[in-house]
Amino acid sequence: MADATAAYETLIIRKEGAVDWVTMNRPDALNSLNPKMISELQDYFLKLYTDQSVRIVVLKGAGRGFCAGLDLKASSIARTDTGDNARGGVVEGLKTQRAISEIVMRMRRCPQAIISLIHGPACGGGFAFALASDIRIAGTSARMNAAFIRIGLSACDIGVSYFLPRLVGVSVASELMMTGRFINAARAERVGLVSEVVPDEKLEEAAQPYIDEMLTTSPIGLRLTKECLNMSVDAGSLEAAIAMEDRNQILCSQTNDMKEGIAAFLQKRKPVFTNS
């Protein structure tokens, strides 16, 4: 059966075993989000939810940047109509806004680890996609910002106000969001927004150790680690976080992969996990 991802017009999916390399592919528009790309990103991340053959997703942009955010020429959010047409603009604008927000929600719901490789501009929605990823690696050219405050909108957009203060603290998040100023790769690494900075041409190479190490873990262990991290960020107490951890450990302990992991450790060999 043909791979459905081959039908995407704005995404390139390269499958390497349990890893999907996903490239946003509108390089002439700095991979800005038009309706087609929004729809295809929604579709891709929704399908991941039940696809246990994919364990890791690497998200990147074609050409000179990661993603420049919303394509203002194609979006109803950016309409400048007045009078009666403005009401249609609000309705259509909210529809588009929710469509983009849903991508971020699906990125967090899917059990796969997501690594973003960021080079050039990652603005607005592109910034949100980077923040919604589990691991971020920046190229030296990376420049990220909460762009919409600079064109009359709020910087609290597509989950940015949720993720950014949790990653860098309220003070730095407030600075970036209230000014719309760019944060470059060096500072992003300094404040803990990205794991490391490498030359742009080394981004894929830099991702490989993360991939290799995650692939040595059991499939269910990796999935439940992402789930528990999601829950623990918003846990109301230490007790709530530990309850989730206890539940996940017992689930993992009942699997064949847990037995294989222990046997491999004792025999000083690599484990062969079967996701069972």
Side-chain angles (χ1 to χ4, degrees), residues 20 36 40 96 115-116 121 145 174 180 192 202 232 237 251 253:
D20 274 7
K36 175 61 73 174
E40 292 184 349
T96 300
I115 303 171
S116 273
N145 81 327
S174 297
K202 298 287 188 181
S232 294
S237 65
L251 287 174
S253 73

Side-chain angles (χ1 to χ4, degrees), residues 39-269:
S39 174
E40 292 184 349
L41 284 166
Q42 268 199 9
D43 181 74
Y44 173 75
F45 284 109
L46 177 63
K47 289 176 178 175
L48 282 182
Y49 192 77
T50 55
D51 186 352
Q52 294 192 8
S53 70
V54 180
R55 299 187 58 198
I56 300 166
V57 174
V58 183
L59 182 66
K60 61 194 189 78
R64 296 181 295 111
F66 180 71
C67 173
L70 188 65
D71 186 339
L72 295 179
K73 296 178 181 178
S75 172
S76 58
I77 293 176
R79 286 180 62 173
T80 57
D81 298 355
T82 58
D84 290 340
N85 287 337
R87 288 192 291 274
V90 168
V91 172
E92 289 304 310
L94 183 57
K95 181 179 177 181
T96 300
Q97 180 75 22
R98 290 289 167 84
I100 304 172
S101 300
E102 184 62 25
I103 297 168
V104 166
M105 303 269 267
R106 292 178 184 184
M107 290 175 71
R108 297 316 307 156
R109 288 189 198 115
C110 75
Q112 292 81 2
I114 301 173
I115 303 171
S116 273
L117 306 182
I118 308 157
H119 75 292
C123 308
F127 190 30
F129 294 164
L131 297 180
S133 302
D134 298 292
I135 297 170
R136 288 156 294 280
I137 304 172
T140 50
S141 69
R143 300 172 70 246
M144 297 170 272
N145 81 327
F148 276 172
I149 198 168
R150 292 191 167 190
I151 59 169
L153 296 170
S154 167
C156 299
D157 187 47
I158 317 174
V160 171
S161 66
Y162 178 87
F163 293 114
L164 193 58
R166 285 167 168 78
L167 290 166
V168 302
V170 174
S171 180
V172 174
S174 297
E175 169 210 334
L176 295 175
M177 296 179 70
M178 291 180 176
T179 64
R181 66 174 50 167
F182 282 90
I183 181 169
N184 63 22
R187 189 182 180 203
E189 183 179 30
R190 191 164 66 247
V191 300
L193 184 55
V194 300
S195 293
E196 61 178 301
V197 176
V198 300
D200 288 3
E201 65 273 14
K202 298 287 188 181
L203 277 167
E204 289 200 14
E205 181 180 326
Q208 200 59 52
Y210 297 86
I211 293 168
D212 293 342
E213 290 173 39
M214 284 190 281
L215 289 178
T216 66
T217 67
S218 73
I220 191 171
L222 186 60
R223 292 196 302 270
L224 293 184
T225 295
K226 175 169 177 173
E227 178 188 77
C228 193
L229 277 168
N230 280 345
M231 299 295 182
S232 294
V233 165
D234 292 324
S237 65
L238 173 62
E239 288 80 3
I242 287 179
M244 175 63 70
E245 292 175 345
D246 289 348
R247 167 257 197 186
N248 284 358
Q249 292 296 61
I250 296 305
L251 287 174
C252 289
S253 73
Q254 303 305 303
T255 65
N256 291 324
D257 280 346
M258 169 67 174
K259 298 173 186 176
E260 166 63 12
I262 292 175
F265 176 79
L266 294 174
Q267 295 167 16
K268 295 182 169 50
R269 61 174 174 81

